[in-house]
């Protein structure tokens, strides 16, 4: 009996150690009244000091949302969400009013330190070592804690090149004309249930504007942290790359371990004008729930880029290891002639995680091209689906797409699904689709273990090999981190 | 003195079928043993049983590596304890550069033994030396493990891994299969450099040819899952003359 108990406790400890970002920051929060109503939306808008048109925009979205029903077509299964049992706004009390980095609550600074996110400009992201003499790349960070941005670094330096990088609530106050011009033009308020909800209640997120001809002098990144209990995070990100500009942007996400599920419904809109390029990378590591499927984040996200100008380019790279439920399809609308969309994805599911993710490449302009590389890895009792759409409209003369979807299964209790849709309305377009599903080879694992690697290390090595094409797309500083994350996510997946 | 490898009355099965039928073998440090025998006599099975391949089950008897019971150790623990199997058909590991693989394997073993990890510059230096001995292009080591390698390249890569890991006991499973004469010489040269008073080598082969280059101290003939005859290196030459027919009938 004692031995059994010991084993149980050991297993529990292992489980607890796996998700190393599961701590809770003890900080007093300012919350909106629980539930969703016009009053709550007015409360949020007032908290942010928004212009009147913004409030109207939110209310209109809210009224529309009331008429909509939650989508049920994805291969995910979860109990009904009680939208009246959530907080739609939570902010650390100490963040009232704008402040400089020195004034940020030390408890928050410690939180980000623990997460390896530097909020001091002389530091860089943790976990990256460079050869001596080589200059460390600088990364500007916008740190979003629950519903508010708590700090944004390198703002002044970015300003010198005309780059605007700030919380979207600040952009609404200081650059209302830019926000108004672009907000909701890629993902309209009526787009889908979760995007409409986001439009009504979104709190913080980042706003980026790169002026014509400017190559953003450093990586930009936003780090999202959900801390407060029973709180939904509804961030909104808007990135505009004006003519001939370039920016590389990365977002990271973590949340504490809580037994209750937490809702995250974000909207990300990207716009590239003529000859501009946005490279958008995500390392998503929301708390995935425990091995029995208790707790974890519901990640219902709408991400879309609009290649509005000719010869523009948008590239999505994502490493998805977290969340209990993932419902996410970063897409590109290839409107400008000769514009290009790319989607590189690694989606790992373990335990009881459910993933339904993929992309849409909508070819509207002439000579538009797109490329999709998706690597899905399922382990434990998880379900992992790739869902994608490649379409060409009548005017998309000479459109081209190449899609490659590979799935790897670890163990025999998980599943992988590939659901591609292809629609070509122009006879000149060429769409290629390749897909494979394979089980991790026992023989290869034996070979690696015979050389001294433990079963878990052998699995991680094989998986890292499997996803290499996609890892190479990540900015170098994050590829190392992502590689480690993949190993951690697969702990306990074998045996 | 404890033997390096001590196999006593070993019986093993795969999928309920008994393949090893009371195997006895003792390899002392410093010795090179050759195990020869007809196809289907369980030569490769022996190597898999010793290295712990899933599905191969010891039902009776014992196999000890430097006194430690192999059946109580996982595959990677056996490797860290110094058992190396050069595969007849080395596996491909797509997307994993050979150099990365070497580093991961060496440092995993060192860590398990409580030793310090080898630094990258030291590792690269060592691998360069070994590649030179084995007449391998460093470019090959940047390619994914065994992916697109020719038969000869795979066997060179196996030998390089073995030389880098410096195991106590090397088991070479049909290393000569798929090798032309030049590659055979190069690989044998590598194996001969590993001969030392602290190390044991077991060469499993169907043909005498390999033993022209790796001279064994002891030659065994295996048939129907056990050793049926043991002699000196001249036994290999005799087998070349007479073939395995009489051992097959003896066993039957």
């Amino acid at each position: 009996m004692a031995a059994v108990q010991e084993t149980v406790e050991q297993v529990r400890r292992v489980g607890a150690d796996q998700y190393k970002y599961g701590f809770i920051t003890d900080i007093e929060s300012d919350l909106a009244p629980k539930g969703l109503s016009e009053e709550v939306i007015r409360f949020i808008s007032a908290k942010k000091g928004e212009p009147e048109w913004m409030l109207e925009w939110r209310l209109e979205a809210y009224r529309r949302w009331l008429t909509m029903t939650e989508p049920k077509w994805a291969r995910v299964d979860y109990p009904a969400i009680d939208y009246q049992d959530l907080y739609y706004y939570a902010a650390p009390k100490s963040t009232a009013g704008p402040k400089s980095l020195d004034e940020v609550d030390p408890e928050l600074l410690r939180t980000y330190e623990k997460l390896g996110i530097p909020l001091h400009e002389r530091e860089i992201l943790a976990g990256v070592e460079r050869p001596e003499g080589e200059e460390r790349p600088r990364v500007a960070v916008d740190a979003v804690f629950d519903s508010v941005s708590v700090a944004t670094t390198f703002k002044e330096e970015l300003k010198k090149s005309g780059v605007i990088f700030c919380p979207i609530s600040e952009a609404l106050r200081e650059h209302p004309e830019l926000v108004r011009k672009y907000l909701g033009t890629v993902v309209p308020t009526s787009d889908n249930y979760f995007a409409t909800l986001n439009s009504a209640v979104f709190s913080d997120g980042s706003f980026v504007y790169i002026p014509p001809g400017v190559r953003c002098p450093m990586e930009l990144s936003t780090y999202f942290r959900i801390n407060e209990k029973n709180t939904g995070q509804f961030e909104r990100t808007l990135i505009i790359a004006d003519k001939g500009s370039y920016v590389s942007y990365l977002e990271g996400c973590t949340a504490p371990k809580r037994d209750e599920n937490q809702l995250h419904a974000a909207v990300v809109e990207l716009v590239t004008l003529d000859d501009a390029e946005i490279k958008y990378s995500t390392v998503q590591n929301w708390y995935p729930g425990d091995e029995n499927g208790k707790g974890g984040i519901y990640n219902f996200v709408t991400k879309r880029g609009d290649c509005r100008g000719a010869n523009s380019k948008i590239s999505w790279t994502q490493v998805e290891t977290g969340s209990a439920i993932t419902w996410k399809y970063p897409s590109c609308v290839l409107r400008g002639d000769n514009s290009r969309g790319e989607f590189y994805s690694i989606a790992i599911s373990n335990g009881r995680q459910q993933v339904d993710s993929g992309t849409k490449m909508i070819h509207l302009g002439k000579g538009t091209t797109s490329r999709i590389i998706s690597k899905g890895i399922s382990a434990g009792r998880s379900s992992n689906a790739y869902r994608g759409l490649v379409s060409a409209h009548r005017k998309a003369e000479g459109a081209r797409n190449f899609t490659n979807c590979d799935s790897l299964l670890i163990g025999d209790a998980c599943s992988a699904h590939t659901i591609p849709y292809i629609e070509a309305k122009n006879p000149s377009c060429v769409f290629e689709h390749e897909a494979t599903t394979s089980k991790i080879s026992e023989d290869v694992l034996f070979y690696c273990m015979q050389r001294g690697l433990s079963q878990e290390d052998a699995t991680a090595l094989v998986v890292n090999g499997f996803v290499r094409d996609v890892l190479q797309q990540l900015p170098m500083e994050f590829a190392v981190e992502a590689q480690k994350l993949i190993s951690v996510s697969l702990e306990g997946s074998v045996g | 003195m404890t033997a390096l490898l001590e196999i006593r009355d070993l019986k093993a099965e795969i999928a309920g079928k008994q393949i090893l039928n009371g195997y006895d073998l003792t390899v002392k440090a410093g010795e090179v043993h050759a195990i020869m025998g007809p196809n289907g006599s369980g030569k490769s099975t022996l190597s898999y049983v010793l290295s712990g391949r899933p599905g191969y089950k010891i039902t009776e008897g014992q196999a000890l590596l430097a006194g430690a019971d192999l059946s109580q150790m996982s595959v990677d623990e056996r490797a860290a304890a110094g058992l190396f199997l050069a595969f007849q058909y080395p596996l491909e590991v797509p997307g994993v550069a050979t150099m990365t693989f070497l580093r991961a394997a060496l440092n995993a073993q060192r860590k398990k033994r409580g030793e310090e990890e080898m630094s990258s510059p030291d590792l690269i230096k060592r691998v360069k030396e070994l590649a030179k001995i084995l007449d391998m292009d460093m470019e090959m080591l940047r390619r994914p493990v065994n992916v697109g390698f020719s038969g000869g390249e795979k066997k060179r890569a196996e030998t390089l891994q073995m030389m880098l890991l410096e195991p106590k006991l090397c088991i070479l499973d049909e290393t000569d299969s798929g090798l032309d004469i030049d590659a055979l010489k190069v690989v044998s040269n590598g194996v001969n450099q590993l001969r030392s008073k602290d190390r044991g080598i077991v060469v499993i082969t169907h043909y005498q040819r390999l033993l022209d280059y790796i001279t064994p101290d002891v030659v065994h003939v295996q048939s129907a899952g056990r050793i049926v005859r043991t002699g000196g290196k001249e036994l290999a030459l005799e087998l070349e003359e007479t073939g395995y027919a009489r051992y097959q009938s003896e066993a039957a």
Side-chain angles (χ1 to χ4, degrees):
Chain A
M1 192 62 206
V4 173
Q5 197 52 38
E6 197 178 79
T7 311
V8 168
E9 297 213 336
Q10 248 171 17
V11 167
R12 206 165 44 95
R13 273 201 299 275
V14 168
D17 288 346
Q18 259 181 44
Y19 189 74
K20 64 172 180 174
Y21 306 108
F23 63 89
I24 293 167
T25 305
D26 190 11
I27 201 159
E28 226 186 317
S29 282
D30 198 0
L31 294 165
K34 206 174 203 179
L36 188 52
S37 62
E38 292 208 359
E39 284 63 50
V40 168
I41 291 164
R42 285 178 201 280
F43 174 93
I44 296 170
S45 190
K47 275 277 171 198
K48 308 260 172 207
E50 287 174 357
E52 186 62 24
W53 64 266
M54 195 63 238
L55 174 63
E56 281 310 315
W57 198 82
R58 287 176 180 275
L59 290 172
E60 196 194 310
Y62 173 64
R63 287 172 201 133
R64 181 182 281 272
W65 181 74
L66 290 173
T67 68
M68 298 167 88
T69 49
E70 212 172 308
K72 291 285 172 207
W73 43 261
R75 284 192 73 98
V76 293
D77 185 29
Y78 55 92
I81 299 168
D82 182 354
Y83 291 91
Q84 294 305 335
D85 194 33
L86 289 175
Y87 290 104
Y88 287 83
Y89 180 87
K93 273 207 168 134
S94 50
T95 56
K99 46 180 60 199
S100 80
L101 214 52
D102 306 334
E103 294 170 283
V104 175
D105 187 328
E107 188 58 35
L108 285 174
L109 286 180
R110 270 196 293 279
T111 298
Y112 284 92
E113 209 171 285
K114 251 167 123 176
L115 295 168
I117 309 300
L119 292 183
H120 292 291
E121 301 193 350
R122 59 198 135 78
E123 292 168 11
I124 59 141
L125 287 175
V128 187
E129 282 178 44
R130 307 215 129 212
E132 261 177 70
E134 198 173 316
E135 203 187 324
R136 291 180 153 188
R138 290 175 312 165
V139 179
V141 178
D142 182 16
V144 177
F145 193 86
D146 287 329
S147 306
V148 291
S149 167
V150 292
T152 309
T153 60
F154 289 108
K155 265 163 83 173
E156 288 309 308
E157 188 163 344
L158 287 167
K159 212 184 217 169
K160 282 182 205 151
S161 35
V163 172
I164 302 170
F165 177 46
C166 66
I168 198 156
S169 49
E170 186 181 318
L172 270 163
R173 290 191 299 268
E174 294 182 13
H175 311 280
E177 70 302 333
L178 269 177
V179 179
R180 198 168 186 178
K181 185 171 172 191
Y182 291 103
L183 188 74
T185 62
V186 186
V187 179
T189 52
S190 57
D191 195 77
N192 70 70
Y193 189 79
F194 298 113
T196 305
L197 176 63
N198 174 287
S199 302
V201 301
F202 76 84
S203 34
D204 242 335
S206 300
F207 175 81
V208 177
Y209 173 77
I210 315 288
V214 170
R215 191 178 170 90
C216 187
M218 62 184 87
E219 295 270 343
L220 304 183
S221 81
T222 303
Y223 197 86
F224 296 98
R225 174 81 177 165
I226 302 180
N227 187 62
E228 195 57 48
K229 210 171 164 174
N230 292 330
T231 299
Q233 191 176 53
F234 304 92
E235 92 251 10
R236 185 110 195 170
T237 294
L238 175 58
I239 301 178
I240 301 134
D242 212 323
K243 290 178 183 174
S245 68
Y246 169 86
V247 63
S248 169
Y249 175 93
L250 183 125
E251 62 168 354
C253 341
T254 60
K257 294 159 75 88
R258 293 192 184 275
D259 288 344
E260 307 82 19
N261 296 105
Q262 284 168 292
L263 177 64
H264 175 254
V267 171
V268 174
E269 298 180 277
L270 312 182
V271 179
T272 48
L273 302 184
D274 290 354
D275 305 304
E277 178 177 347
I278 296 175
K279 184 175 166 62
Y280 191 106
S281 313
T282 303
V283 176
Q284 187 264 109
N285 188 21
W286 295 119
Y287 177 52
D290 70 9
E291 62 273 31
N292 298 315
K294 193 164 189 196
I297 303 285
Y298 291 168
N299 193 28
F300 301 134
V301 172
T302 306
K303 291 183 165 177
R304 198 173 300 150
D306 188 357
C307 286
R308 211 161 277 180
N311 308 310
S312 65
K313 179 178 167 186
I314 288 175
S315 171
W316 299 98
T317 304
Q318 59 173 22
V319 178
E320 301 273 317
T321 59
S323 300
I325 312 260
T326 301
W327 181 98
K328 178 183 172 189
Y329 316 89
S331 305
C332 296
V333 180
L334 304 168
R335 199 181 304 276
D337 288 348
N338 303 312
S339 60
R340 179 168 176 82
E342 290 174 347
F343 176 74
Y344 299 99
S345 171
I346 299 170
I348 299 182
S349 56
N350 196 357
R352 299 260 179 183
Q353 281 176 278
Q354 303 174 60
V355 178
D356 193 301
S357 182
T359 184
K360 288 187 275 187
M361 292 291 172
I362 316 286
H363 292 258
L364 302 179
K366 293 190 189 73
T368 48
T369 57
S370 61
R371 183 179 173 86
I372 299 169
I373 308 284
S374 165
K375 306 275 182 180
I377 297 128
S378 350
R381 299 178 163 276
S382 68
S383 162
N384 200 328
Y386 168 84
R387 186 186 300 276
L389 167 69
V390 178
S391 76
H393 285 238
R394 279 192 307 280
K395 289 176 184 165
E397 193 71 26
R400 289 193 72 109
N401 165 268
F402 173 78
T403 299
N404 173 274
C405 294
D406 293 329
S407 303
L408 187 68
L409 298 164
I410 301 174
D412 48 18
C414 57
S415 64
H417 316 271
T418 305
I419 310 160
Y421 297 84
I422 297 172
E423 293 171 9
K425 292 189 182 140
N426 183 305
S428 68
C429 54
V430 180
F431 291 167
E432 293 171 73
H433 183 95
E434 289 175 5
T436 65
T437 301
S438 53
K439 232 181 132 164
I440 196 160
S441 157
E442 293 286 340
D443 290 349
V444 173
L445 288 182
F446 170 63
Y447 182 67
C448 296
M449 288 171 72
Q450 209 298 308
R451 297 305 182 247
L453 295 169
S454 67
Q455 189 165 19
E456 290 190 340
D457 288 348
T459 306
L461 189 79
V462 171
V463 169
N464 269 305
F466 176 74
V467 301
R468 196 168 78 140
D469 301 352
V470 175
L471 275 185
Q472 284 171 340
Q473 298 296 328
L474 279 177
M476 218 249 298
E477 300 83 275
F478 303 106
V480 181
E481 199 56 30
Q483 203 163 343
K484 281 188 208 150
L485 186 59
I486 290 167
S487 309
V488 172
S489 305
L490 288 169
E491 268 173 27
S493 65
V494 285
Chain B
M1 195 190 99
T2 324
L4 188 57
L5 177 67
E6 176 97 57
I7 303 176
R8 287 190 218 122
D9 194 29
L10 191 71
K11 292 182 182 164
E13 59 176 43
I14 174 164
K17 189 171 179 249
Q18 188 160 319
I19 310 275
L20 297 185
N21 302 305
Y23 210 101
D24 290 292
L25 176 68
T26 303
V27 178
K28 295 202 190 81
E31 291 178 346
V32 176
H33 288 233
I35 297 176
M36 304 183 71
N39 291 328
S41 60
K43 298 195 300 290
S44 290
T45 299
L46 176 71
S47 70
Y48 291 145
V49 168
L50 294 179
S51 55
R53 183 171 184 159
Y56 289 74
K57 206 172 129 199
I58 295 176
T59 52
E60 270 184 70
Q62 263 193 323
L64 307 172
L65 179 68
D69 187 351
L70 284 174
S71 70
Q72 300 300 311
M73 299 156 84
S74 63
V75 176
D76 49 319
E77 282 166 355
R78 297 178 200 208
L83 187 150
F84 183 96
L85 170 61
F87 282 58
Q88 181 178 6
Y89 303 108
L91 279 296
E92 297 181 359
V93 192
V96 178
T98 305
M99 196 56 120
T100 306
F101 185 74
L102 293 173
R103 181 183 299 120
L106 180 66
N107 287 334
Q109 291 202 11
R110 287 185 163 220
K111 225 170 127 184
K112 282 201 184 79
R113 292 194 292 257
E115 298 165 12
E116 260 192 52
E117 297 193 352
M118 191 187 263
S119 73
S120 287
D122 286 351
L123 180 85
I124 290 166
K125 197 171 152 231
R126 179 75 186 127
V127 170
K128 269 188 182 159
E129 289 165 9
L130 298 175
K132 203 171 167 200
I133 294 170
L134 294 166
D135 193 19
M136 283 167 76
D137 193 347
M138 282 301 280
E139 194 276 326
M140 220 177 97
L141 299 164
R142 280 188 276 275
R143 281 157 48 192
V145 180
N146 293 323
V147 177
F149 287 18
S150 70
E153 284 175 330
K154 282 184 182 170
K155 295 299 168 78
R156 280 172 213 235
E158 288 291 284
T159 312
L160 186 139
Q161 290 180 32
M162 185 161 72
M163 295 174 84
L164 178 71
L165 295 172
E166 301 182 323
K168 281 193 193 130
L169 178 71
C170 308
I171 304 172
L172 281 67
D173 187 9
E174 309 262 359
T175 292
D176 50 334
S177 70
L179 284 189
D180 61 32
I181 195 75
D182 292 328
L184 189 64
K185 280 182 186 165
V186 170
V187 167
S188 302
N189 177 37
V191 174
N192 283 329
Q193 297 214 6
L194 277 173
R195 292 182 85 137
S196 103
K197 64 175 174 38
D198 305 316
R199 184 173 288 126
I201 298 175
V202 175
V203 180
I204 295 172
T205 181
H206 188 78
Y207 300 104
Q208 191 272 337
R209 182 174 84 136
L210 178 65
L211 306 180
D212 285 342
Y213 301 97
I214 305 171
T215 315
D217 301 304
V218 187
V219 175
H220 307 277
V221 183
Q222 176 174 339
S223 178
R226 63 169 169 262
I227 287 177
V228 293
R229 195 174 159 199
T230 297
K233 62 181 175 214
E234 65 289 342
L235 177 57
L237 295 168
E238 183 195 314
L239 286 169
E240 188 78 353
E241 292 277 315
T242 60
Y244 293 115
R246 56 179 283 226
Y247 297 103
Q248 276 165 314
S249 54
E250 244 173 46

